[in-house]
Amino acid sequence: MTHAPHSSLVDRHVGFVHALREAGLPVSLAEGLDAARALRVIELADRESLRAAYAATLVKKPAYRPGFDVLFDLWFPRATTGLYGPRPDLESAPLEEVRGYLAGLLTQSTDAEIREFARVMVERFGRQEAAEGRQNWFSYSVMRALSPDTLMARILNEVLAGQERGGLAEKTARQRVAANTRRLEEAVSADVRRRIAEDSGIDKIARSAVRPPLDHIDFLRITKADLARLRREVHPLARRLAARLTIKHRKGRRGRLDFRRTMRASLQSGGVPLTTHFKPPRPHKPELVILCDTSDSVSSFAHFTLLLTYALREQFTKVRAFGFVDTVDEITRFFVPGADVVEAMTRLANEADMVRFGRTNYGHALEGFAERYGDAIGPKTSLLILGDARSNYQQPALDTLKSLTRRARHAYWLNPEPRQQWDTGDSVATEYGTVVPMYECRNVAQLTAFIESIA
C-alpha cells in the first residue's frame, strides 16, 4: 500500500475523519471513536475490510458513499506494484495497439486489470510538465488519447460475429461496454488524484476532489443535474412539512361520539354507559400560499422552489404560488403535473408578469400581492416566503407584511443566503425577521432542520 506522508495509522485516521467532515459528511466524535475501535478487530492489510469498517461506522446515508470512497482512496491508496499489469509493451506500443487492447478490456476484464491499465495510461498520457520542474496530472488528456467511446463499432463487430444487429446480444454488449467505460474513467480519475496527492499533499487534493453531499449543495449554486437528483429528496420533505403545518386540534378536544364502542363497553356495566368513547378528531389539510422571489440573484433557489411546490401540491388542500421581482403575479398555472422544472422556469420567465423595471422590490411586490391577492390568505393558510430579502434600498412595506401574516395561521420565511450576509448591503433580513420568523435555508439539510424545528 502506498502511503502519504503521515507518520502513523493514528495520524492517517485523524486526517481521514477530518477530511470527511471538511467534505460535508457528518461524522461525530463518537463515530470517529467507533471507527478507531473497529480497526482493532480487522486485518489492516486487507484494504477492502478496512474500507468496509470505516463505511459501516462513518457513512450514514447512501448519498454520502461516493464522497467517502474518493477520500478513502486518497488516504488509503492501493498498492501500485504492477502485479496485475497489462502487457509490458503498452507503455511504448503504438496508440492503435493500445486501443485494441482496451477494446478487449471493455468487453471483459476484472477490476484489477482496469486499475492497472489506468495506472499505465496515466503515466503515459496524463503527465504535463509545468514550470520549475513540477508536473501536473490530468484525466481528460488520458481519456482523450484513448477515446473509448469510439471503440463501440469495433467491439460490436467482434462480439456479435455476424449475429443480427439490434437484438438482445447487442443490447447486452453495449451495456457491458458502457459500464466498463465508466469503471475506466473512475480508475483514471482515482489514479490522477493519487499522483496529485503524492506530489502536493492529500489535504490539498481532498478539498477539491469531493463535491458536497446532495443535501449540502448550496441552492444558489445548484446545477440542472443536481435538480434532477433532488426530485427524489423533495417529496419526503414535502410530506413532513405538510404534517408539521397541519392544523392541530386543541389538547383534549374530542371528536364525535363513537356510539357503537360506547354501547359495547356498557355491556360490562349492565347496559349503563359509564364510559363514553369518541372518534378521533379528523385532521384537516391546511392551505398553502408560496410567495417566491424569482429574480436572477436567486434563480437557482427559485428552481428548487418549483420542485418543492410541485411536491407540496399533493399534500395540501390548496396550493397557490406567486412569483415576484418588482411586481407580483400568480404562477400556479405553470405547475402542470409532470412538467419539466427547467421548462416551467422558461415559461414562467417569458409569460409571467413579475418584472416592471428589472430590480427586486420586496415592498412594492408585497403591496401588490395584498391588493390583488390578499384574499388568498385566511385562517387555514400557511404562508411561506422564499427569498433573500434584498430590496435594492426600497421601502420594505413592513405594515403590509404584518397585515398579511396576522390573517394567516402560520407564516415562515426561508432565506437562501448565509446568515452572516444578512443586513449587509441592501438586505433588510432582520427587519422582515421581526415580522415573520426567518430561517437560513441554503440546502436540503437546512430545509430538513427547519421542518423539524416547527414541529
Side-chain angles (χ1 to χ4, degrees):
M1 184 180 295
T2 300
H3 293 294
H6 285 264
S7 58
S8 70
L9 180 60
V10 173
D11 294 330
R12 187 173 298 275
H13 169 80
V14 171
F16 178 51
V17 170
H18 177 73
L20 290 172
R21 292 183 182 129
E22 287 286 302
L25 277 69
V27 178
S28 68
L29 177 61
E31 289 163 343
L33 292 174
D34 287 341
R37 294 188 188 100
L39 301 187
R40 299 168 58 186
V41 297
I42 65 169
E43 176 55 57
L44 294 177
D46 183 346
R47 185 169 178 272
E48 291 311 310
S49 293
L50 184 64
R51 184 196 299 269
Y54 270 122
T57 51
L58 302 181
V59 179
K60 298 182 179 68
K61 296 171 61 176
Y64 297 158
R65 186 59 190 255
F68 165 86
D69 283 331
V70 168
L71 291 173
F72 181 87
D73 288 340
L74 285 174
W75 287 87
F76 303 94
R78 300 178 186 276
T80 56
T81 62
L83 178 62
Y84 302 100
R87 293 189 330 225
D89 61 349
L90 287 181
E91 297 184 6
S92 57
L95 181 56
E96 275 309 303
E97 185 176 340
V98 173
R99 281 167 45 81
Y101 182 78
L102 173 59
L105 287 180
L106 296 179
T107 305
Q108 189 71 40
S109 60
T110 65
D111 284 340
E113 289 169 336
I114 288 282
R115 288 196 303 269
E116 184 61 21
F117 179 79
R119 184 188 68 81
V120 175
M121 293 301 102
V122 171
E123 181 70 29
R124 179 170 176 178
F125 299 113
R127 186 204 318 261
Q128 291 188 15
E129 297 299 328
E132 300 178 356
R134 295 174 57 248
Q135 54 190 11
N136 295 326
W137 300 94
F138 298 96
S139 299
Y140 79 88
S141 58
V142 178
M143 301 307 296
R144 182 179 60 190
L146 297 175
S147 300
D149 294 337
T150 64
L151 293 171
M152 183 65 76
R154 179 195 299 188
I155 293 171
L156 290 177
N157 286 335
E158 295 177 359
V159 171
L160 298 179
Q163 298 181 55
E164 182 180 356
R165 299 293 296 266
L168 179 60
E170 178 178 345
K171 181 178 179 181
T172 302
R174 287 184 178 275
Q175 290 176 342
R176 185 187 307 122
V177 171
N180 286 336
T181 300
R182 288 193 296 271
R183 288 166 60 203
L184 175 64
E185 291 174 346
E186 292 167 1
V188 168
S189 296
D191 196 71
V192 166
R193 287 193 295 266
R194 176 184 64 81
R195 293 172 187 269
I196 295 175
E198 289 176 351
D199 293 345
S200 306
I202 296 177
D203 294 333
K204 181 177 180 180
I205 184 63
R207 283 191 290 269
S208 60
V210 182
R211 287 203 74 202
L214 184 62
D215 56 358
H216 283 75
I217 295 177
D218 197 316
F219 288 141
L220 296 180
R221 295 173 176 81
I222 210 161
T223 65
K224 184 178 179 180
D226 294 328
L227 280 171
R229 294 162 60 206
L230 276 173
R231 290 177 190 269
R232 294 187 295 272
E233 301 284 335
V234 163
H235 286 276
L237 287 173
R239 288 193 293 270
R240 289 161 67 181
L241 179 58
R244 295 293 186 268
L245 295 179
T246 297
I247 299 173
K248 296 180 176 61
H249 292 269
R250 292 190 303 272
K251 184 176 181 180
R253 180 175 176 177
R254 296 170 174 175
R256 292 181 301 168
L257 176 69
D258 191 328
F259 183 77
R260 180 174 296 178
R261 290 183 63 200
T262 300
M263 294 306 298
R264 187 181 297 119
S266 71
L267 296 178
Q268 300 177 3
S269 54
V272 180
L274 299 178
T275 303
T276 54
H277 293 268
F278 296 86
K279 295 180 179 180
R282 181 178 299 174
H284 298 282
K285 286 186 175 181
E287 300 172 358
L288 179 66
V289 169
I290 298 176
L291 189 56
C292 174
D293 181 353
T294 59
S295 60
D296 289 341
S297 63
V298 290
S299 60
S300 297
F301 183 51
H303 277 65
F304 177 79
T305 300
L306 279 174
L307 272 181
L308 184 61
T309 303
Y310 285 146
L312 287 170
R313 287 192 66 182
E314 301 175 3
Q315 308 299 325
F316 288 79
T317 302
K318 182 189 297 183
V319 175
R320 296 182 70 180
F322 302 85
F324 67 91
V325 177
D326 55 1
T327 188
V328 66
D329 188 18
E330 182 164 6
I331 57 176
T332 313
R333 62 187 184 276
F334 298 104
F335 298 120
V336 180
D340 180 77
V341 174
V342 176
E343 180 183 338
M345 285 298 294
T346 302
R347 284 193 58 211
L348 186 151
N350 293 333
E351 301 175 26
D353 183 19
M354 300 179 295
V355 184
R356 283 288 185 271
F357 305 104
R359 301 183 67 189
T360 311
N361 188 329
Y362 276 76
H364 190 263
L366 288 170
E367 290 171 348
F369 175 81
E371 180 180 345
R372 297 173 59 188
Y373 307 108
D375 59 353
I377 297 180
K380 295 182 179 180
T381 305
S382 293
L383 174 63
L384 193 60
I385 303 175
L386 305 141
D388 60 6
R390 292 189 176 275
S391 195
N392 284 294
Y393 303 102
Q394 305 298 315
Q395 292 299 314
L398 293 175
D399 290 339
T400 302
L401 182 60
K402 290 177 183 177
S403 175
L404 292 171
T405 55
R406 277 197 295 265
R407 299 206 298 269
R409 184 171 186 85
H410 308 285
Y412 303 98
W413 190 311
L414 302 183
N415 190 326
E417 282 197 336
R419 187 176 296 273
Q420 60 265 30
Q421 295 181 15
W422 296 5
D423 299 328
T424 63
D426 60 342
S427 170
V428 287
T430 297
E431 289 187 67
Y432 283 133
T434 60
V435 180
V436 179
M438 186 173 291
Y439 297 80
E440 180 183 305
C441 186
R442 294 188 293 118
N443 51 48
V444 170
Q446 289 187 335
L447 176 60
T448 303
F450 158 71
I451 292 172
E452 296 303 324
S453 73
I454 64 175

